[in-house]
Amino acid sequence: MIDDLDLGFDEPDKGEKGRHRRGAVRRRQGRSGGSRGKTIFALLMAIVLLGGIGGGAYVGFDRIRNYLVTPDYDGPGTGEALVEVKTGDTLTDIGVTLFEAGVVKSTKAFVEAADANARSKNIQVGRYKVRKEMKAADAITLMLDPKSRVVNGVTIPEGTITLNVYQILAKQTKIPVKEFQEAAKDPVKLGVPDFWYKRQDGKKAPKSLEGFLYPSTYEIPPKATAEQILSLMVKQFLTVTDQLDFVDRAQKERKISPYEALITASIAEAESVNAVDLPKVSRVIYNRVYAGKIGCNCLGIDSGINYHLRLQGKDPKDSDDLLQSEINDLKNPYNTHNVAGLPPTPISNPGEPALKGALDPPAGDWIFFMTVDKKGTMGYGSNDADFRRLTRQMCDNKVLTGENCS
């Protein structure tokens, strides 16, 4: 679920607007409760009066009762209706929606039933399958059942590159990939603050959307455009990084720009199979690029080369299959074997564990990491002896083959 999709009345401390919204509902409900006593009194008086008139007055009495008593259906309903709860809807707004769809007999019945059910505040934004002509209390129960919610959800896995995000979204929404690519040309327009593209290492930062499409499960609003969907994902990225205090911590604790920390998180996400390795991989990156642990300050990762291949529509390659011409291609802006420092942009969209790992890596003097088995276990080293030991382990586990194992 997306955090910003909670209803306004679900959180009473969200500011004056939210408090007013809940208060309005309670006041309406309060008046309804107060009028109930008056209704009973009026009915008693009507019975006394009509009793004296005779049996022919039952028709008139029935009309009076329908006017004074809250109209509500008795049964569980029939058929099916699709209704939508929108962001900011109050209980009364939801009641109106259900009444207009023929689900409940009156808005008042829904509001009174919601007042009697403390869980009614948990009704979330979204679309629901309900039945027509339902008892209001049953309608609330049905809307609180997760099975009734129509979720047009799409999941973006951690570490997915932006180009693949577009393909996932296109498959789900039927919006062409080209529309997502066109919308992505201006990340600032989509909500990425301009300061994110400032680096402290002297390198130019092209305004790429890579890294800012936060991996999560999203409920895509009906008829949403490519621009609106990408903006939704950027907003979630900003929400998560704000909760982590990512910007300030990157500058104060890591002494680098937030964008460089984001690039680091994206590399760790691309290189790590298991989440436990994300912080350690970040430490290796910092040691190589910033701490002067190696002579050229080169990162020396193959995932950068593969990222560039993906952007060109080519398949990524295993390290054993990369050609020397590809490894040494200085025309590749993501070549980190021969060029010092971090690549120009992130190379994936990292999740929260990777972002945390980039902010708080463990202490260590490691300058390389190696995947030593087919389970994705990482080994770390600080010298040539460690490198030879881990290489032998990779060969023994058939992760590495060929002349490197001879």
Side-chain angles (χ1 to χ4, degrees), residues 17 35 59 71 76 80 99 143 157 159 187 191 199 221 297 322 345 354 388:
K17 185 177 181 181
S35 65
V59 175
E80 185 175 282
F99 171 72
M143 294 180 76
R199 298 177 61 151
N297 290 342
L322 284 172
T345 73
R388 290 192 294 271

Side-chain angles (χ1 to χ4, degrees), residues 159-166 184 187 192 197 206-213 237 259 262-263 266 307 311 334 345-350:
T160 306
I161 69 170
T162 296
L163 186 60
N164 288 348
V165 171
Y166 302 153
V192 180
Y197 295 105
K207 291 184 178 179
S208 167
L209 196 57
E210 195 73 67
F212 296 101
L213 297 181
F237 168 84
Y259 197 57
L262 177 60
I263 293 173
S266 77
Y307 176 74
L311 292 183
Y334 293 88
T345 73
I347 63 170
S348 76
N349 289 285

Side-chain angles (χ1 to χ4, degrees), residues 172-376:
Q172 177 71 23
T173 64
K174 309 306 179 186
I175 298 173
V177 169
K178 288 184 178 179
E179 291 191 24
F180 288 104
Q181 292 174 319
E182 187 66 27
K185 289 182 178 179
D186 189 352
V188 175
K189 185 178 179 181
L190 295 175
V192 180
D194 190 67
F195 74 81
W196 271 94
Y197 295 105
K198 296 179 180 178
R199 298 177 61 151
Q200 295 179 3
D201 59 1
K203 287 192 174 185
K204 183 179 179 180
K207 291 184 178 179
S208 167
L209 196 57
E210 195 73 67
F212 296 101
L213 297 181
Y214 187 75
S216 184
T217 297
Y218 294 89
E219 185 174 347
I220 306 300
K223 299 181 181 179
T225 65
E227 183 176 322
Q228 290 170 334
I229 296 170
L230 296 182
S231 294
L232 188 69
M233 298 179 71
V234 169
K235 184 177 182 180
Q236 185 65 10
F237 168 84
L238 295 176
T239 297
V240 173
T241 51
D242 183 63
Q243 291 170 347
L244 295 176
D245 198 17
F246 193 88
V247 172
D248 285 344
R249 291 184 63 192
Q251 294 172 323
K252 294 177 181 177
E253 297 176 21
R254 300 271 63 85
K255 309 298 182 184
I256 58 177
S257 71
Y259 197 57
E260 291 165 75
L262 177 60
I263 293 173
T264 299
S266 77
I267 295 170
E269 191 77 84
E271 291 283 350
S272 304
V273 175
N274 302 309
V276 67
D277 290 298
L278 293 167
K280 282 188 175 182
V281 172
S282 290
R283 172 54 67 191
V284 172
I285 294 170
Y286 291 143
N287 284 346
R288 293 181 74 91
V289 173
Y290 296 103
K293 296 289 185 179
I294 61 173
C296 69
N297 290 342
C298 298
L299 189 53
I301 58 166
D302 294 337
S303 56
I305 297 173
N306 278 320
Y307 176 74
H308 187 59
L309 290 175
R310 288 188 176 101
L311 292 183
Q312 295 176 316
K314 300 178 182 179
D315 292 330
K317 296 183 177 181
D318 291 334
S319 295
D320 285 353
D321 298 327
L322 284 172
L323 303 176
Q324 284 299 314
S325 59
E326 293 171 323
I327 294 173
N328 298 319
D329 182 9
L330 295 179
K331 293 181 180 179
N332 179 353
Y334 293 88
N335 180 337
T336 61
H337 287 274
N338 306 97
V339 179
L342 295 173
T345 73
I347 63 170
S348 76
N349 289 285
E352 185 174 351
L355 294 170
K356 287 180 177 179
L359 289 177
D360 192 24
D365 60 355
W366 313 294
I367 58 173
F368 56 83
F369 51 82
M370 302 167 73
T371 304
V372 298
D373 61 29
K374 294 184 179 181
K375 296 179 181 179

Side-chain angles (χ1 to χ4, degrees), residues 38-52 61 64:
K38 296 178 182 178
T39 299
I40 295 172
F41 176 78
L43 283 172
L44 289 173
M45 292 299 296
I47 291 171
V48 172
L49 293 172
L50 292 172
F61 173 75
I64 293 173

